[in-house]
Amino acid sequence: MVDQLSLFSGDPSETVEEAPQETITYTRDKKKHNGRNALPEHLPVREIIIEPEEDTAGLKKIGEEVTETLEYTPASLIKRRTIRPKYAKADGQGVLIAPLPTRPIDKSIAEACLLAHILVGKYIDHLPFFRQIQMFKRDFGWEPAQSTMGDWMASCCQLLEPLYNTLKQKILASDYIQADESPIKVLDSDKKGSTHQGYQWVYHDPVQKLVLFNYRKGRGQNGPKELLADYHGYLQCDGYTVYDKIGTDPKITLAGCLVHARRKFHDALDSDKKHWPSLGRSIWKNARSRKRPKMTLKRGKHSAT
């Protein structure tokens, strides 16, 4: 028989000494739980009082338990019916009737509140007209034509044009603005189902926290050159060549973007990792030792000394 190791080593009669044990206790600060966030105070309140099923006649009320929960009331479409009684004047002098109240869009069924809802849905909540029409059909059984909704929005743009011009004037009156352009796909009205690439030129006043969107079909200099024709001040932007051309205007002082400038240093690090650390430290040390220009921003004026 071949010798085979035993599964159990040692003498089973031997006892194994257990390691001594000790009890360790410690204290720690109890985590504070602030509970749920308080519900907004401006929300309307609907109170429901639930009395005990037992008879409370003759009992003294000593307090109450208050529990607050949230309900949601879905939006609603209301058919507004304006009735104007007509009266015949004495001696056949004609008919007396009250004038019809003005509406944002003449001869349209859309009231101002409905137009505002559609505008917020499209430009704030990013809901295209097609999806909003589906929601109206699902929730209210009303299905407006997409072309009708588009015409409403075109009319709203005309109504809001004075507000847009005022916003543009306030931003261009600033001494310091930021600019950038972003591509956007635009439906082509000449070719159904196709799109072309347009650009939203964005102008931001960080002091007043105002933003202006100016749509252009291209990325050339004509758009910003036209909008900034009367601007005096600092224009902060990236290294796109169009801004260099805008900066030739003596009324405009270009200010670079540190994020875009950092990209060049990052690319340089990848191309020369051996010498770049020492070169980078030298550039940083030199920049720190130089006297920074004192910038003064005043309404209508800008200077650096």
Side-chain angles (χ1 to χ4, degrees):
M1 184 175 180
V2 179
D3 293 338
Q4 184 175 354
L5 295 176
S6 173
L7 292 175
F8 304 97
S9 60
D11 188 351
S13 62
E14 295 181 358
T15 58
V16 179
E17 294 184 2
E18 295 183 357
Q21 296 181 348
E22 60 179 350
T23 302
I24 300 176
T25 61
Y26 68 96
T27 59
R28 66 179 181 183
D29 295 335
K30 186 177 180 180
K31 293 183 178 179
K32 294 182 180 180
H33 191 276
N34 297 326
R36 297 174 179 170
N37 294 331
L39 299 181
E41 293 292 336
H42 65 273
L43 294 178
V45 177
R46 184 170 71 94
E47 291 188 349
I48 299 176
I49 300 176
I50 304 177
E51 293 284 358
E53 295 182 357
E54 292 81 359
D55 184 15
T56 59
L59 300 182
K60 180 181 179 181
K61 182 179 178 180
I62 59 174
E64 59 187 14
E65 293 287 338
V66 179
T67 303
E68 289 187 341
T69 55
L70 279 177
E71 294 181 352
Y72 174 73
T73 302
S76 60
L77 278 180
I78 300 175
K79 185 161 56 175
R80 178 174 175 175
R81 179 175 295 156
T82 302
I83 301 173
R84 298 179 294 153
K86 297 191 296 183
Y87 300 92
K89 293 183 179 180
D91 302 328
Q93 296 298 318
V95 178
L96 180 64
I97 185 173
L100 190 65
T102 58
R103 284 171 287 180
I105 304 175
D106 190 31
K107 298 180 181 180
S108 171
I109 64 171
E111 292 288 351
C113 50
L114 176 59
L115 295 173
H117 174 76
I118 296 173
L119 278 170
V120 171
K122 179 172 176 60
Y123 297 107
I124 303 300
D125 299 330
H126 306 285
L127 292 172
F129 291 151
F130 174 74
R131 192 169 300 166
Q132 292 195 55
I133 292 172
Q134 287 182 318
M135 295 169 65
F136 282 129
K137 182 179 179 181
R138 178 196 65 199
D139 297 337
F140 310 111
W142 176 59
E143 187 177 6
Q146 190 165 342
S147 59
T148 300
M149 197 171 286
D151 292 339
W152 288 351
M153 292 303 100
S155 298
C156 287
C157 289
Q158 294 178 357
L159 293 171
L160 294 173
E161 188 172 358
L163 184 61
Y164 177 85
N165 291 333
T166 301
L167 175 63
K168 181 170 65 174
Q169 291 174 2
K170 288 181 68 68
I171 290 180
L172 295 180
S174 174
D175 302 299
Y176 163 51
I177 61 175
Q178 300 165 329
D180 197 7
E181 75 289 341
S182 297
I184 181 174
K185 294 293 184 182
V186 182
L187 292 175
D188 197 334
S189 58
D190 298 329
K191 192 174 181 181
K192 188 176 181 180
S194 63
T195 62
H196 66 268
Q197 182 165 286
Y199 286 87
Q200 285 284 14
W201 290 78
V202 185
Y203 302 90
H204 175 225
D205 180 352
V207 178
Q208 302 183 83
K209 297 182 179 180
L210 300 176
V211 180
L212 178 74
F213 288 84
N214 184 253
Y215 172 76
R216 298 286 173 165
K217 290 184 177 181
R219 202 185 177 199
Q221 62 174 316
N222 293 336
K225 190 173 183 179
E226 177 184 334
L227 190 133
L228 299 172
D230 298 324
Y231 176 68
H232 295 68
Y234 289 93
L235 176 66
Q236 187 174 26
C237 51
D238 58 22
Y240 182 38
T241 55
V242 162
Y243 295 115
D244 293 334
K245 298 176 182 178
I246 300 298
T248 58
D249 188 333
K251 304 188 303 296
I252 297 177
T253 301
L254 293 183
C257 173
L258 292 178
V259 174
H260 287 81
R262 178 185 176 277
R263 294 177 184 175
K264 302 301 180 182
F265 290 96
H266 186 272
D267 295 341
L269 175 61
D270 292 336
S271 61
D272 190 355
K273 294 184 178 181
K274 181 178 179 181
H275 299 94
W276 168 242
S278 58
L279 177 60
R281 284 193 295 268
S282 299
I283 295 175
W284 176 253
K285 184 177 180 180
N286 182 49
R288 296 272 295 181
S289 63
R290 295 183 62 184
K291 183 180 179 181
R292 296 182 181 181
K294 183 178 180 182
M295 300 179 64
T296 303
L297 295 179
K298 296 181 180 179
R299 186 63 57 188
K301 298 180 180 180
H302 61 283
S303 62
T305 58

